[in-house]
Amino acid sequence: MLAIHSAIGGFSDRWIAYCEKQDIPYKKVNCYDTNIVQKLHDCDALMWHHNHALPQDVLIAKQLLFSLEQAGKVVFPDFNTAWYFDDKLGQKYFFEAFELPAAKTHVFYSKKDAKDWLKTATYPMVFKLRRGAGSRNVRLVKNKNQARAIIKKSFGQGFRQYDAWGGIKENWRKLKLSKARPIDLIKAIAHLWVPITLEKAIGRERGYVYFQEFIPDNDFDIRVIVINKKAFAIKRSVRKNDFRASGSGFIQYEKHHFDDSIILTSFEIAKKIKTQCIAFDYVVKGKEHLILEVSYGFSKYGYDDCPGYWDEKLKWHEGPFNPYGWMVEDVISKITERKNNM
Ligand SMILES: Nc1ncnc2c1ncn2[C@@H]1O[C@H](COP(=O)(O)OP(=O)(O)O)[C@@H](O)[C@H]1O
Ligand SMILES: [Mg+2]
């Protein structure tokens, strides 16, 4: 029996639809219930698509999942899949420890160390906050004065989780493209004063500063997702007069955009780090693909138009596919593996 935390907008409705179709026994659970562990006694696994923007999830999802995993239950996402989720600080060390091809990242925990390093910095470079998606907390730093101001703020008042001016700009851009409603723009303006719920729960980002080498001449990024030995990909173009692709909404799906080498690299890394599900964001530097960030969660609608997927032998399978079913199958095979080993 699978337990599924059912939530609006995430993977859970697709997991449930797959279980219904395949006659896989499941029950819906509420992971915020204080008796959740007790309620899972009759279940072999828990699946929870926790969300980086929901304060409750940020507060407790990883801790609940990892506790259950340590105690012997199968979970999705497990530790290898989720510990670095929405944590670009953690990912710096993760990429370095595994010697993954990634953009060079410099992180400092004091004003002095950051300022000392600035003496050797080259511009432009990229400033990021630890959390955030859709390019929200990613900025270009054009010169030393901008870098100094960022350092001052990082070790002073800190940064809001929600960049209100960036939000207004983004909603105005989307409104012009008919991808946002006027009310979205009004809400974004209100967030100049009204904090988003995540900010109320976890406060501001401060006490560190993150700079990354800027990889020039990329008018797109490539996202490859690997789940249960299968991969699919999208190419996202940058916004007009901007270097940031994530969240732009300009997506290309055709197979010819993706070299075999980027798919192969993604398979190799996914295997090495033993993840259940991983999305790699890559940009190109010379002949190399460099990872910018990784994440287990993604917005499902952006991938429904993928025309096919690759298997581990890089064979292309044309036609519709169900990555959410792959997640369920992966969990079921882990349950079977565990039962066989008992
Ligand atoms: N170091 C970099 N060099 C060039 N472009 C970058 C760099 N870092 C980020 N970008 C661009 O900004 C976008 C957002 O960055 P990313 O680190 O993936 O953050 P997010 O979590 O918001 O997706 C990327 O899709 C890419 O287009
Ligand atoms: Mg990204």
Side-chain angles (χ1 to χ4, degrees):
M1 167 94 88
L2 305 184
I4 296 178
H5 176 87
S6 163
I8 298 162
F11 300 154
S12 59
D13 55 351
R14 306 239 175 139
W15 290 336
I16 289 168
Y18 185 81
C19 289
E20 294 273 353
K21 198 166 164 221
Q22 303 292 327
D23 268 334
I24 297 165
Y26 74 93
K27 77 174 187 187
K28 289 188 199 174
V29 293
N30 172 11
C31 285
Y32 311 133
D33 187 335
T34 187
N35 297 322
I36 180 66
V37 173
Q38 209 181 325
K39 292 197 171 149
L40 295 171
H41 273 323
D42 57 346
C43 299
D44 302 294
L46 170 65
M47 300 183 75
W48 181 3
H49 179 197
H50 54 84
N51 183 322
H52 64 276
L54 282 180
Q56 309 92 304
D57 293 20
V58 173
L59 287 173
I60 210 55
K62 290 180 187 176
Q63 288 78 355
L64 171 64
L65 288 162
F66 301 162
S67 303
L68 293 165
E69 185 182 355
Q70 289 296 311
K73 259 199 212 313
V74 176
V75 296
F76 180 96
D78 63 10
F79 183 82
N80 288 336
T81 308
W83 78 260
Y84 42 77
F85 175 58
D86 202 33
D87 182 1
K88 292 187 178 76
L89 270 192
Q91 290 180 21
K92 167 195 156 60
Y93 304 107
F94 184 39
F95 298 159
E96 289 176 6
F98 277 87
E99 298 180 356
L100 303 186
K104 184 92 191 116
T105 299
H106 309 270
V107 180
F108 306 98
Y109 301 96
S110 78
K111 212 175 186 172
K112 184 182 176 307
D113 286 351
K115 280 188 163 174
D116 283 349
W117 175 80
L118 272 198
K119 290 173 194 150
T120 60
T122 53
Y123 302 89
M125 59 183 181
V126 180
F127 162 71
K128 297 183 186 180
L129 292 182
R130 168 179 225 162
R131 309 166 202 266
S135 301
R136 230 157 275 145
N137 294 328
V138 174
R139 282 193 223 166
L140 202 64
V141 186
K142 291 183 186 141
N143 53 49
K144 198 170 213 163
N145 281 345
Q146 287 183 355
R148 280 208 184 112
I150 284 171
I151 292 170
K152 190 171 173 215
K153 196 165 172 181
S154 299
F155 296 99
Q157 61 171 316
F159 288 87
R160 284 184 61 179
Q161 301 292 341
Y162 183 82
D163 166 22
W165 284 110
I168 293 169
K169 238 177 107 181
E170 182 66 357
N171 277 284
W172 174 237
R173 181 185 78 86
K174 286 191 172 163
L175 188 66
K176 285 190 290 181
L177 294 169
S178 305
K179 287 182 176 175
R181 302 159 300 169
I183 185 73
D184 298 320
L185 181 62
I186 292 166
K187 279 187 190 164
I189 294 169
H191 283 310
L192 282 171
W193 302 277
V194 184
I196 60 168
T197 50
L198 183 66
E199 294 181 285
K200 289 187 201 153
I202 63 172
R204 296 170 87 91
E205 289 291 309
R206 57 157 74 93
Y208 69 91
V209 65
Y210 174 118
F211 293 119
Q212 190 169 63
E213 95 179 275
F214 172 64
I215 316 293
D217 307 322
N218 280 276
D219 51 11
F220 56 82
D221 80 350
I222 287 187
R223 169 166 274 201
V224 181
I225 300 184
V226 181
I227 304 166
N228 202 1
K229 298 176 186 153
K230 293 178 256 317
F232 51 103
I234 61 170
K235 179 173 170 174
R236 304 178 292 193
S237 301
V238 296
R239 295 159 174 83
K240 201 173 162 203
N241 301 324
D242 201 324
F243 72 106
R244 301 167 310 158
S246 159
S248 71
F250 306 133
I251 306 180
Q252 288 165 287
Y253 295 97
E254 298 81 10
K255 180 176 177 277
H256 67 85
H257 294 296
F258 314 104
D259 289 348
D260 276 358
S261 69
I262 200 170
I263 308 298
L264 187 67
T265 305
S266 307
F267 272 127
E268 283 170 358
I269 299 172
K271 194 171 182 180
K272 192 165 161 184
I273 63 181
K274 301 189 178 76
T275 153
Q276 297 163 304
C277 171
I278 186 163
F280 298 92
D281 292 349
Y282 294 100
V283 284
V284 179
K285 184 183 183 185
K287 286 192 174 144
E288 235 188 333
H289 286 110
L290 293 185
I291 303 173
L292 296 177
E293 67 153 346
V294 290
S295 129
Y296 96 87
F298 49 87
S299 164
K300 59 192 177 199
Y301 304 111
Y303 304 84
D304 286 342
D305 292 333
C306 287
Y309 70 90
W310 292 264
D311 64 24
E312 261 194 322
K313 295 202 168 90
L314 297 191
K315 187 168 171 276
W316 174 254
H317 298 256
E318 182 85 24
F321 58 95
N322 182 359
Y324 315 96
W326 301 345
M327 295 171 190
V328 173
E329 290 303 335
D330 185 55
V331 164
I332 291 174
S333 68
K334 288 205 167 71
I335 295 172
T336 314
E337 212 174 283
R338 250 172 232 195
K339 284 193 174 153
N340 291 342
N341 288 339
M342 269 182 357

